[in-house]
């Protein structure tokens, strides 16, 4: 069991990485800044599970809230609109 | 599926023959292998498919109607969606449910941009549009335009929260109870809650 590195309210940045294989971090979030909304729990790593491996060590999974205007600088809705995305801890960097 | 290079058309395909695409062929092959290796039987698979197809949005609607009429249940549902649904006798399997509440200033909507993650235990199989590339890409890029196409025009003062179901959580929108429904029974309230209201592309209307 891994101790969670981030707590709700912390600002984080999604790693701007483009590794091959199965990942569950959407492209549109990479390199973007958001705020941790909650810790969802500790879950098997899908990047390992996808290839029939154990998914160990398990990873903390967070919901991170992004301002739409951070994700899409030309976003046409309003400034307070958001997208919440589930992200595993190894994709997040402290700011 | 691409035509194999040695496949020329100097013969006739049998009348009514169905050509499988790549994923259909893959799905059949995997199912046959799992059955052949005794991982599960054809009967197990049929039963599971039937159980999935038997689930309908009525389960989710019952959860919403209970939350509208029982404040303690609503608090429990927002705190731990899975446990609250199980307390109503709903089988949740491995689902980790997050319930997001619409309030007078906040509207929630759900998408899975990576595939088609969906709270099947409460809503049954997702509609085809939920799995379509246009919905999956546009719902994070221009969600207000998508909602307007569903007939839901949100005022600018409303905060729109889109939830991208990218990993282990599944999402259910708890819509606002429509005004003028104080006399309705829990069952009559549930009838107002459509599938689309619980995905967040619509809102319930008083009868």
């Amino acid at each position: 069991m891994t101790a969670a590195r981030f707590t709700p309210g912390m600002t984080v940045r999604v790693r701007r990485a483009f590794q091959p294989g199965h990942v569950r971090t959407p492209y549109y979030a990479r390199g973007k800044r958001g705020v941790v909304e909650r810790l969802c729990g500790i879950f098997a790593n899908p990047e390992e599970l996808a290839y029939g491996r154990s998914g160990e060590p398990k990873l903390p999974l967070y919901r991170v809230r992004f301002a739409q205007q951070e994700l899409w600088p030309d976003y046409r809705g309003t400034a307070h609109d958001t997208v919440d995305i589930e992200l595993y801890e190894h994709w997040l960097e402290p700011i | 599926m691409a035509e194999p290079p040695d496949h020329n058309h100097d013969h006739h395909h049998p009348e009514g023959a169905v050509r499988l695409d790549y994923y259909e062929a893959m799905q059949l092959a995997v199912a046959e292998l799992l059955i052949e290796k005794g991982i599960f039987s054809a009967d197990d698979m049929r039963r599971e498919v039937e159980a999935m197809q038997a689930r309908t949005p009525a389960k989710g609607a019952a959860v919403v109607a209970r939350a509208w009429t029982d404040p303690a249940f609503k608090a429990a549902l927002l705190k731990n969606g899975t446990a609250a649904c199980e307390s109503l006798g709903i089988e949740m399997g491995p689902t980790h449910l997050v319930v997001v509440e619409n309030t007078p200033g906040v509207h929630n909507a759900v998408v899975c941009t990576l595939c088609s993650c969906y709270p099947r235990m409460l809503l049954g199989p997702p509609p085809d549009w939920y799995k379509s590339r246009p919905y999956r890409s546009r719902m994070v890029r221009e969600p207000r335009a998508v909602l307007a196409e569903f007939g839901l025009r949100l005022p600018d003062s409303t905060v729109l929260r889109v939830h991208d179901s990218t990993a282990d959580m599944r999402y259910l929108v708890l819509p606002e109870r429509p005004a003028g429904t104080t006399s309705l029974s829990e069952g009559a309230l549930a009838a107002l809650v459509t599938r689309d209201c619980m995905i967040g592309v619509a809102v319930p209307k008083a009868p």
Side-chain angles (χ1 to χ4, degrees), chain B residues 102-127:
Chain B
N102 288 350
T103 60
V106 178
H107 182 84
N108 294 280
V110 182
V111 64
C112 173
T113 58
L114 299 180
C115 44
S116 56
C117 296
Y118 189 73
R120 289 166 183 255
M121 304 306 273
L122 293 172
L123 301 185

Side-chain angles (χ1 to χ4, degrees), chain B residues 30-164:
Chain B
V30 170
E32 281 175 13
L33 276 170
L34 289 167
I35 291 164
E36 209 173 285
K37 287 175 179 290
I39 310 292
F40 53 66
S41 70
D43 203 43
D44 293 335
M45 186 170 84
R46 179 191 53 75
R47 229 186 345 254
E48 202 51 47
V49 169
E50 284 175 1
M52 181 48 69
Q53 286 172 345
R55 293 185 187 107
T56 73
K59 280 181 197 280
V63 170
V64 169
R66 175 63 63 89
W68 282 349
T69 53
D70 178 347
F73 177 77
K74 178 178 149 182
L77 185 69
L78 293 173
K79 190 157 178 259
N80 183 336
T82 308
C85 290
E86 283 171 345
S87 77
L88 296 186
I90 297 171
E91 182 211 337
M92 293 298 280
T95 305
H96 296 271
L97 184 71
V98 172
V99 177
V100 288
E101 183 188 13
N102 288 350
T103 60
V106 178
H107 182 84
N108 294 280
V110 182
V111 64
C112 173
T113 58
L114 299 180
C115 44
S116 56
C117 296
Y118 189 73
R120 289 166 183 255
M121 304 306 273
L122 293 172
L123 301 185
D128 286 342
W129 57 257
Y130 185 85
K131 300 184 276 186
S132 71
R133 281 177 185 269
Y135 180 78
R136 287 162 46 203
S137 51
R138 294 181 60 223
M139 197 55 192
V140 287
R141 185 73 179 85
E142 46 173 5
R144 284 176 182 264
V146 175
L147 294 180
E149 289 165 22
F150 276 97
L152 180 59
R153 281 175 184 77
L154 295 178
D156 284 350
S157 57
T158 297
V159 175
L160 173 56
R161 296 206 190 291
V162 173
H163 302 272
D164 190 355

